[in-house]
Amino acid sequence: MGRYVLRRLVQLVPVFLGTTFLIYLLVWAIPGDPFAGKCGDRPCPDAYITRMRAEFHLDDNVVVQYARYLGNLVQGDFGQTFNGTSVGALIAAAYPVTVRLALVALLIEAVIGLAAGVLTGLRSGGYLDNLVLVSTLFLIAIPVFVTGYVLQTVLGLRLGLISPTVSPAAGFGELIVPGFVLGSLSMAYVARLTRTSIAENRRTDYVRTAVAKGLTPRRVVGVHLLRNSAIPVVTFLGVDLGSLMGGAIVTEGIFNIRGVGGLIFRSIQTKEGATVTGVVVLLVVVYLLMNLLVDVLYAVLDPRIRYD
Amino acid sequence: MTIPPPLDAPLLEVAGLHVEFRTRDGVAKVLNGVDYRVEAGETLAVLGESGSGKSVTANTIMGILESPPGVVTAGSVRYRGEELLTATPERRRDLRGENMAMIFQDALSALNPVFTVGFQIAEQLRTRRGMSRRDAGRRAVELLDQVGIPAARQRVRDHPHQFSGGMRQRVMIAMSLALDPDVLIADEPTTALDVTVQAQIMDLLAELKAERHMGLILITHDLGVVAEVADRIAVMYAGRIVEHADVHTLYSNPCHPYTHALLESIPRVDTKGTQLRAITGLPPNLTRIPPGCPFHPRCPMAVDVCREVVPALALLPGGRSSACLFADELVTR
Ligand SMILES: Nc1ncnc2c1ncn2[C@@H]1O[C@H](COP(=O)(O)OP(=O)(O)O)[C@@H](O)[C@H]1O
Ligand code: SF4
Ligand SMILES: [Mg+2]
């Protein structure tokens, strides 16, 4: 396993170089004039443009530019925005918020989704089963922005149970409702995946053996059945965490959360190339690492899987 | 207050057991009055074609019959005189593992793939006996050692898929013995294994039965397998016992045409190389069991009366019994 992880990490290097170069190319070489609209209604003065192009080395060959960027990146320097703010500082402010929101969403998905899936998987066809099937269908069908605005209006504005927007501190408590909104679709998938998995494994021979050993029903289900049925669910949650860590433009927008999704959205609008590149590069790395984590997790959960 | 069981009650006894499976395709009458018993220290072999109800009987004894669709409609299962079919689920659970244990045909699917074998053996000791993790682990090693697994101390940490078929069945046996049951049901324990390994597992079961003075119910569809280890044989057909005798008597003088046909179907040393002769005809459709003797459509001796009268399992001289109307004529003395 250790060697496998090492090999995968080494493989990440060319993938990292390739994707970041592509991003760099897309952000800096293609979008025409980065200074259009930077100076209010009038076009920017030539002197300003010349100075900025020199400062950001925009007239160098793009490969040279990329190599320089990479060199700085390796030293932890994400560069600066056009008005001199450190991109690293922007990320450092936004990313923890995104991570907290992702964790809250993941927790909600896992707890509610697993519980609903286990209960319905054990008794398919019952009242609860139908209730869960219909409500998950509902969640899958409704777009996130609808769930978001409805909950914000009802819980925040009408009932006053929550603040309609999240404060800049974005504590865990404030993120529960946004986390629910963000995780609702995956929660529905988790419930259905768990239900199918439990229903399939319920009749397996090893469950029968566990019963024949005289174990309590609670232990048969909670240890033997659940441990096997959770394998695909945990894998799904791992992949989902990877995408949650990429920020949530819609949910962040609705609740005014200062996460990485909003940051990237705003910097694309204002053509802040350094910020876009920095954030996307970070997200690529996180995504690649999460994928590796999922593969490792899979082998840990299912000892029959061997990578070496 | 419970009535104390009679002192001479058999260790385990099944009487008049009827089980139906109620599915969309109709009601399958899978057990139609099964009678057998086993005493401490003896081996009863239950023999019959696939589908004759051997496993359903065993599952009903253990209380692990899949229900629905399975329903017990009549009969009794008594452990040391105690009726189990009316016992509470808690009582039945207490008996499982502790008093009666079962091993299954395919140990690979019967063992949980994600836990180490040590965990699966120690689990019962920890949850049922309250043993510490460490003591239970040590006991698991001892048990693996007793069933003949080399390097047991290292192998407790392995998962089921890391064992060969024979070794895996030994693990299953070790697990079934963890709580020292006095009845062990082995449901076709060697069917999935090579011939040489089959013999080793049979020897192990015979040895453990003798050592621990257990009652062993050995289910098989292979007459050849049981000859050396069984004391008595009960032959099953369409959910009933059709013949019952000690091994020697049954082999030398089968008293039911079905048993006769089964014996003909095993390849013998002298006819080695010739093809295994299957019994002609098919087992009955259990949703429409023929009237009279259920074996009559396949029976070479069948006469008109066989289509009308259901033969009971009747006692014959010498303590053996047969469910053929003409059993008397088949007995040679
Ligand atoms: N869960 C079930 N649902 C429906 N029918 C079943 C079920 N289990 C067993 N049966 C039926 O009961 C009959 C006897 O099965 P079984 O006891 O497994 O036979 P065997 O003698 O081969 O062990 C078979 O015809 C089988 O189709
Ligand atoms: S009762 Fe008749 S049909 Fe049944 S086994 Fe005997 S001879 Fe054959
Ligand atoms: Mg069977």
Side-chain angles (χ1 to χ4, degrees):
Chain A
M1 183 67 105
R3 282 178 58 191
Y4 169 76
V5 173
L6 207 66
R7 202 169 66 228
R8 282 285 300 266
L9 285 172
V10 172
Q11 282 170 1
L12 285 187
V13 174
V15 177
F16 172 78
L17 292 177
T19 45
T20 52
F21 181 64
L22 209 65
I23 294 158
Y24 196 87
L25 212 61
L26 284 172
V27 172
W28 292 104
I30 293 170
D33 185 3
F35 305 105
K38 272 275 178 306
C39 307
D41 294 335
R42 290 169 299 134
C44 289
D46 284 346
Y48 171 75
I49 291 181
T50 316
R51 187 163 55 79
M52 291 304 271
R53 289 198 78 87
E55 195 173 310
F56 284 84
H57 308 283
L58 292 188
D59 297 318
D60 286 355
N61 180 309
V62 73
V63 178
V64 177
Q65 287 185 46
Y66 171 70
R68 186 182 299 116
Y69 179 75
L70 204 62
N72 291 336
L73 198 61
V74 172
Q75 295 164 35
D77 179 8
F78 281 88
Q80 296 180 346
T81 63
F82 292 122
N83 61 23
T85 318
S86 150
V87 173
L90 285 176
I91 292 175
Y95 210 58
V97 176
T98 288
V99 171
R100 277 203 292 278
L101 181 62
L103 290 179
V104 171
L106 189 80
L107 195 72
I108 290 172
E109 282 171 23
V111 172
I112 302 182
L114 268 171
V118 170
L119 291 176
T120 54
L122 289 175
R123 269 173 203 280
S124 39
Y127 165 75
L128 188 68
D129 190 23
N130 285 315
L131 183 77
V132 169
L133 279 180
V134 171
S135 52
T136 51
L137 189 68
F138 206 64
L139 285 180
I140 290 168
I142 299 180
V144 170
F145 71 86
V146 176
T147 337
Y149 280 123
V150 167
L151 286 183
Q152 184 182 43
T153 310
V154 174
L155 297 179
L157 301 174
R158 291 277 161 75
L159 301 176
L161 292 176
I162 57 162
S163 153
T165 57
V166 171
S167 74
F172 280 107
E174 286 180 283
L175 291 175
I176 291 177
V177 173
F180 179 87
V181 170
L182 180 59
S184 57
L185 180 65
S186 294
M187 183 178 82
Y189 281 126
V190 168
R192 293 193 159 206
L193 192 60
T194 310
R195 175 183 181 274
T196 314
S197 189
I198 289 268
E200 254 170 32
N201 289 321
R202 214 172 93 194
R203 295 178 190 283
T204 53
D205 288 356
Y206 61 79
V207 168
R208 181 187 58 187
T209 306
V211 176
K213 281 160 84 173
L215 303 178
T216 58
R218 193 195 201 107
R219 195 168 167 92
V220 172
V221 172
V223 175
H224 288 264
L225 179 54
L226 196 60
R227 178 64 176 68
N228 281 276
S229 306
I231 295 173
V233 181
V234 173
T235 312
F236 173 84
L237 287 172
V239 174
D240 199 50
L241 182 61
S243 58
L244 287 172
M245 297 283 246
I249 294 183
V250 177
T251 309
E252 287 180 13
I254 295 170
F255 294 97
N256 192 32
I257 299 167
R258 305 247 141 204
V260 86
L263 180 62
I264 208 170
F265 184 68
R266 284 189 304 276
S267 38
I268 288 173
Q269 280 184 325
T270 55
K271 295 208 175 70
E272 282 290 358
T275 316
V276 176
T277 321
V279 175
V280 175
V281 164
L282 176 72
L283 296 187
V284 166
V285 173
V286 169
Y287 186 79
L288 291 174
L289 288 177
M290 287 305 297
N291 266 343
L292 175 59
L293 186 74
V294 167
D295 287 347
V296 170
L297 202 63
Y298 197 46
V300 169
L301 289 176
D302 190 340
R304 284 165 298 184
I305 299 198
R306 276 279 156 271
Y307 291 128
D308 295 319
Chain B
M1 174 172 163
T2 51
I3 306 149
L7 285 175
D8 57 348
L11 177 60
L12 185 86
E13 184 179 30
V14 178
L17 192 61
H18 285 69
V19 169
E20 296 178 357
F21 279 90
R22 297 175 184 163
T23 61
R24 265 184 222 148
D25 309 328
V27 177
K29 296 192 181 283
V30 169
L31 300 188
N32 301 291
V34 177
D35 303 284
Y36 64 60
R37 77 191 141 71
V38 67
E39 299 288 358
E42 77 165 357
T43 302
L44 170 74
V46 179
L47 190 74
E49 280 168 297
S50 172
S52 55
K54 307 180 297 291
S55 299
V56 170
T57 311
N59 291 348
T60 310
I61 293 172
M62 289 297 292
I64 57 171
L65 179 69
E66 211 185 309
S67 173
V71 185
V72 179
T73 53
S76 87
V77 175
R78 284 186 292 268
Y79 170 76
R80 296 188 189 278
E82 177 187 353
E83 178 58 56
L84 300 187
L85 295 181
T86 53
T88 62
E90 288 73 28
R91 173 66 186 146
R92 300 212 70 181
R93 188 179 348 116
D94 282 346
L95 291 171
R96 286 198 281 274
E98 194 85 53
N99 302 74
M100 50 182 70
M102 184 161 170
I103 60 179
F104 302 94
Q105 176 176 332
D106 181 3
L108 183 59
S109 65
L111 290 166
N112 197 321
V114 302
F115 295 119
T116 64
V117 300
F119 173 90
Q120 296 186 58
I121 297 170
E123 182 180 26
Q124 305 174 77
L125 296 165
R126 285 175 38 216
T127 60
R128 306 280 299 272
R129 293 274 167 86
M131 271 194 198
S132 70
R133 187 181 289 264
R134 167 182 261 214
D135 290 346
R138 201 174 292 141
R139 180 83 188 116
V141 174
E142 281 170 24
L143 283 160
L144 287 178
D145 201 47
Q146 278 172 29
V147 298
I149 291 182
R153 193 177 293 278
Q154 284 79 47
R155 303 231 66 187
V156 274
R157 283 189 292 269
D158 283 347
H159 288 87
H161 71 275
Q162 291 166 287
F163 289 81
S164 68
M167 285 298 151
R168 204 150 43 217
Q169 194 55 281
R170 286 173 195 262
V171 169
M172 189 85 218
I173 294 171
M175 193 168 85
S176 72
L177 297 178
L179 301 179
D180 302 309
D182 29 33
V183 178
L184 180 63
I185 305 176
D187 190 356
E188 313 217 14
T190 62
T191 307
L193 305 174
D194 299 343
V195 183
T196 45
V197 182
Q198 281 188 5
Q200 291 163 6
I201 297 289
M202 281 299 160
D203 290 346
L204 174 68
L205 284 172
E207 204 176 284
L208 290 166
K209 178 217 73 173
E211 242 167 52
R212 295 165 166 256
H213 203 60
M214 292 186 294
L216 176 62
I217 298 175
L218 186 62
I219 297 172
T220 176
H221 63 249
D222 185 351
L223 251 181
V225 165
V226 298
E228 280 157 41
V229 287
D231 297 304
R232 290 181 293 114
I233 297 190
V235 180
M236 214 165 162
Y237 188 79
R240 296 177 66 202
I241 304 299
V242 293
E243 178 160 16
H244 171 231
D246 69 76
V247 175
H248 179 72
T249 314
L250 191 102
Y251 271 72
S252 56
N253 174 216
C255 269
H256 191 285
Y258 177 62
T259 315
H260 190 80
L262 276 182
L263 285 171
E264 296 267 279
S265 74
I266 19 169
R268 295 180 188 246
V269 189
D270 46 308
T271 57
K272 210 173 181 178
T274 62
Q275 243 195 335
L276 189 119
R277 225 175 70 194
I279 305 172
T280 49
L282 290 172
N285 177 343
L286 297 175
T287 57
R288 270 177 286 119
I289 294 175
C293 173
F295 188 56
H296 82 249
R298 302 167 79 183
C299 180
M301 281 176 56
V303 292
D304 284 349
V305 64
C306 301
R307 276 176 267 279
E308 284 148 29
V309 179
V310 184
L313 183 63
L315 206 59
L316 296 172
R320 62 187 307 191
S321 43
S322 161
C324 171
L325 294 172
F326 305 100
D328 288 336
E329 293 168 25
L330 293 166
V331 187
T332 54
R333 266 160 246 199

